[in-house]
Amino acid sequence: MGPRVRLTLKNDPHTFYETCQEEFLIGRSKDCEMVIKDPAVSQLQARVRFQNEIFIIENLGRNPTRVNGIPVETQSLHAGDQITVGRTELLFHVEEEVNGVVKETRIEDKTMVFSGLTGKTLGPQLVLTTLSGESSSYPLEKELLLIGRASEADVCLNDPSVSLRHCMIEKRESGFFARNLSQTNPLKVNDQTITETRIYTGDQLRVGPFSISFFSDRPQDLRSEEKIISQAKRPRLEVWLLTAIVLLGLGGYVFYKQVYRPWEVKRTLETVSRQMASGAYLPALSALTSLLETDLPAEERKKARELLSKSTLAVAQKMGEDGKLQEAKQYLVTYLKNYGSDKEANLIWERLDLLRLNMGHRLVTRGEHEAALREFAAIREDGPWFNEAQKGIRRIWLASEQQPPSPQTKAQLLREAKEHFLAQRYLIPVDNNAYSAYKAVLALDPENALARQRIGQMRDFYRKRGEMHYRKGNWRKALSYFERYTFIEPNDPTIKGKLSICKRKLVKTKSEMKE
């Protein structure tokens, strides 16, 4: 436990926080010991701690903490100092021991909630605090105010260590003065024994075991700015130590950023290049991934991206040669999720499109037409393999349409087509959907009105849904519906143009998300 300290609200001396804790927090958060409901105060505004026999206040918030009107980051505190947080002004006091004992008060070490400034004018006054923690105020309205044990005293203090006429507070033209009248018992102001001295707002008088604080909202009772500034500028050991620590830290930071870090990055890139030359691509990838997670200069970042792209291509190619096409595809997709908006990703996109094209052809050979369609449809329109992918899609649909005529009758086909249509199975599965069934009906009856009507409805469905999402900027959904529309109506130039726009928007969105 440290000495007992008191923080008093300047404009309401009856409101104060008192504690013997060696450390406590001030702020707007309910986790603070001293909660101040002032919007100009940060959630965690300041920390006060008792260290090496002195009290230190440390600013924790984005808003400033001021001591005697001067913003501080770390500052030692002395009795009578004024602490300002937001629009709230507090006066700092340290209670000394009486006969080796400091009595606990009812509010000690508990969280106190301050509502901030009261906004009322109080005038000069004394606030008496008893050993039990109770306080009472005495306005300084008279020219002379007597303090002592005598019954005629204005502030009567009944204790053997208090003289009958112990001291007096005198109002003069320049301000208020405290004068000791006793020849046997001392009068202390801010823990200094005095005979006579001028007192300022926040000063603390000690009369026997009693603590008396002087408060005033008159400008002339504030300490002069020159005195505050000179005290603030007085060299202190902790200031010099803090300055030395800051300079050492700054020097270390500059050395790290300007000397060590560039050397470390250069050495890492050289090591990665040697690993790649020897075919050790996986260790190279691990080092490059970690390096790119740090803050790199533009030139080194570009070099690292180029090496990462080459390593990724090499690993994916080895997987493809081993027949692990799905693993290779996933490897490339993961790279593009992280770095797809960079220029170095173009080769990765081309390799991924080629891999999807080869996978699509392999799936067609195995008769897995739906999976093949997904691979072909995922190939970029502005890539070199797009036309080949479209040819693959057309071959799947032509193969489906050129199958031998169904042994089913027209009535059976219409019933099957209706079932698929009502379930909105318009295009999937590839060989068993509403579109293929109505196409089979037209193969038997080219002028069948119902089949033509249903195909038109499916075509319009995909177009309307695509247009709706296109207007809302839902580019991915619009792209999906427009692609299905082109299966039914492949030669619509308007929809082809919107397909291109959707793909460009998706690429741009991915780039912005990466940034």
Side-chain angles (χ1 to χ4, degrees):
M1 300 290 285
R4 185 170 63 183
V5 300
R6 172 178 292 190
L7 287 173
T8 304
L9 194 62
K10 179 181 175 182
N11 279 22
D12 186 2
H14 295 287
T15 302
F16 57 88
Y17 172 73
E18 190 171 89
T19 182
C20 290
Q21 291 180 266
E22 292 187 346
E23 180 175 313
F24 59 92
L25 294 173
I26 302 172
R28 212 168 69 246
S29 171
K30 64 181 180 180
D31 296 327
C32 297
E33 285 80 8
M34 184 173 182
V35 180
I36 300 179
K37 294 182 177 180
D38 181 345
V41 175
S42 300
Q43 292 286 335
L44 294 178
Q45 179 65 51
R47 176 191 289 115
V48 177
R49 66 181 187 274
F50 183 68
Q51 181 178 333
N52 299 328
E53 303 302 315
I54 61 173
F55 282 93
I56 296 174
I57 187 167
E58 176 186 359
N59 185 48
L60 302 178
R62 290 184 298 179
N63 299 316
T65 297
R66 293 182 171 85
V67 176
N68 299 328
I70 300 174
V72 299
E73 290 302 322
T74 302
Q75 173 74 33
S76 60
L77 292 174
H78 305 278
D81 281 350
Q82 178 174 303
I83 302 170
T84 304
V85 288
R87 296 186 296 274
T88 303
E89 296 177 333
L90 306 165
L91 296 171
F92 177 80
H93 301 289
V94 180
E95 299 286 338
E96 67 179 5
E97 295 182 351
V98 178
N99 298 326
V101 177
V102 177
K103 293 190 177 181
E104 293 186 357
T105 66
R106 292 170 296 173
I107 60 173
E108 182 175 285
D109 295 344
K110 294 183 181 179
T111 297
M112 295 293 292
V113 180
F114 285 61
S115 60
L117 298 175
T118 61
K120 57 185 178 182
T121 301
L122 300 176
Q125 58 182 296
L126 297 178
V127 176
L128 168 68
T129 303
T130 65
L131 292 177
S132 64
E134 298 177 349
S135 62
S136 54
S137 60
Y138 298 86
L140 294 173
E141 300 172 346
K142 299 164 54 176
E143 296 293 325
L144 297 174
L145 182 139
L146 178 64
I147 301 173
R149 203 171 72 248
S151 59
E152 68 268 22
D154 299 294
V155 179
C156 186
L157 305 177
N158 188 17
D159 189 272
S161 61
V162 177
S163 301
L164 289 173
R165 294 170 56 84
H166 197 114
C167 63
M168 65 184 301
I169 306 298
E170 181 179 359
K171 180 181 180 182
R172 302 178 187 173
E173 185 176 350
S174 58
F176 288 90
F177 288 75
R179 178 152 45 101
N180 187 16
L181 302 177
S182 173
Q183 297 181 355
T184 57
N185 296 314
L187 169 65
K188 292 184 177 182
V189 175
N190 296 332
D191 296 328
Q192 300 294 320
T193 301
I194 61 99
T195 300
E196 180 176 301
T197 187
R198 182 178 176 181
I199 56 177
Y200 297 88
T201 184
D203 284 351
Q204 187 178 41
L205 288 71
R206 175 67 67 177
V207 180
F210 300 95
S211 175
I212 303 174
S213 299
F214 171 65
F215 295 102
S216 174
D217 48 12
R218 302 191 317 168
Q220 60 265 42
D221 293 328
L222 294 174
R223 294 188 186 277
S224 64
E225 189 67 16
E226 291 78 11
K227 183 175 182 180
I228 293 174
I229 293 175
S230 66
Q231 290 176 346
K233 290 185 177 179
R234 187 182 303 156
R236 294 185 177 131
L237 177 60
E238 60 267 21
V239 174
W240 291 111
L241 288 174
L242 180 62
T243 303
I245 292 171
V246 170
L247 289 176
L248 286 173
L250 182 60
Y253 175 77
V254 171
F255 174 80
Y256 175 80
K257 293 291 288 185
Q258 301 296 328
V259 180
Y260 177 77
R261 181 58 178 163
W263 172 82
E264 183 185 37
V265 171
K266 181 180 179 181
R267 185 187 63 172
T268 301
L269 292 175
E270 290 174 351
T271 301
V272 166
S273 297
R274 290 195 296 270
Q275 289 173 333
M276 292 174 61
S278 64
Y281 291 106
L282 291 179
L285 281 169
S286 177
L288 289 168
T289 301
S290 299
L291 188 62
L292 286 169
E293 290 175 353
T294 64
D295 185 18
L296 294 176
E299 186 176 348
E300 282 76 7
R301 179 168 291 275
K302 180 181 179 183
K303 178 65 175 177
R305 289 279 175 82
E306 290 174 353
L307 294 175
L308 183 66
S309 175
K310 292 178 181 178
S311 299
T312 302
L313 285 172
V315 172
Q317 182 174 350
K318 182 65 170 61
M319 290 179 176
E321 291 172 354
D322 293 341
K324 301 176 181 178
L325 298 183
Q326 188 62 36
E327 289 86 344
K329 185 182 81 168
Q330 188 57 46
Y331 198 78
L332 295 175
V333 168
T334 301
Y335 173 93
L336 292 170
K337 284 181 179 179
N338 295 321
Y339 309 105
S341 61
D342 297 322
K343 182 180 178 182
E344 294 79 13
N346 288 336
L347 292 175
I348 303 293
W349 277 110
E350 291 183 10
R351 182 62 60 85
L352 178 60
D353 287 344
L354 178 59
L355 186 62
R356 282 171 167 160
L357 185 67
N358 292 333
M359 290 180 66
H361 289 321
R362 180 174 294 189
L363 291 167
V364 169
T365 303
R366 296 205 298 254
E368 300 178 25
H369 294 150
E370 291 180 46
L373 281 174
R374 285 194 295 270
E375 297 299 338
F376 289 143
I379 294 175
R380 296 174 305 150
E381 183 179 3
D382 56 350
W385 306 109
F386 177 74
N387 291 335
E388 289 297 322
Q390 293 301 304
K391 291 178 183 178
I393 292 172
R394 296 287 173 254
R395 281 195 291 269
I396 292 175
W397 283 105
L398 286 174
S400 174
E401 293 178 356
Q402 292 175 3
Q403 289 180 357
S406 172
Q408 295 174 294
T409 64
K410 182 173 70 174
Q412 290 173 327
L413 287 171
L414 285 171
R415 282 196 299 271
E416 179 183 329
K418 179 180 180 181
E419 180 182 344
H420 289 312
F421 183 83
L422 294 177
Q424 289 193 335
R425 293 191 292 269
Y426 296 156
L427 292 175
I428 55 174
V430 173
D431 299 325
N432 191 19
N433 55 66
Y435 178 70
S436 61
Y438 282 124
K439 291 287 284 185
V441 171
L442 292 176
L444 298 175
D445 180 8
E447 301 301 326
N448 189 279
L450 180 59
R452 290 181 176 276
Q453 177 187 0
R454 293 301 193 208
I455 290 174
Q457 288 174 332
M458 289 185 284
R459 177 194 61 211
D460 293 342
F461 170 82
Y462 287 125
R463 177 163 188 159
K464 289 178 181 179
R465 287 297 180 92
E467 296 282 5
M468 178 185 70
H469 290 295
Y470 184 86
R471 287 192 298 271
K472 293 180 178 180
N474 297 332
W475 309 117
R476 190 172 300 281
K477 289 186 177 181
L479 180 66
S480 174
Y481 281 108
F482 285 150
E483 284 178 340
R484 289 180 235 178
Y485 172 86
T486 58
F487 287 150
I488 301 173
E489 190 66 51
N491 299 316
D492 188 328
T494 302
I495 298 303
K496 283 186 175 181
K498 291 184 177 180
L499 273 170
S500 299
I501 292 173
C502 288
K503 291 179 179 180
R504 287 198 299 271
K505 292 288 188 180
L506 286 172
V507 171
K508 181 180 179 181
T509 301
K510 186 182 295 184
S511 175
E512 291 173 349
M513 290 176 64
K514 182 65 178 177
E515 292 175 0

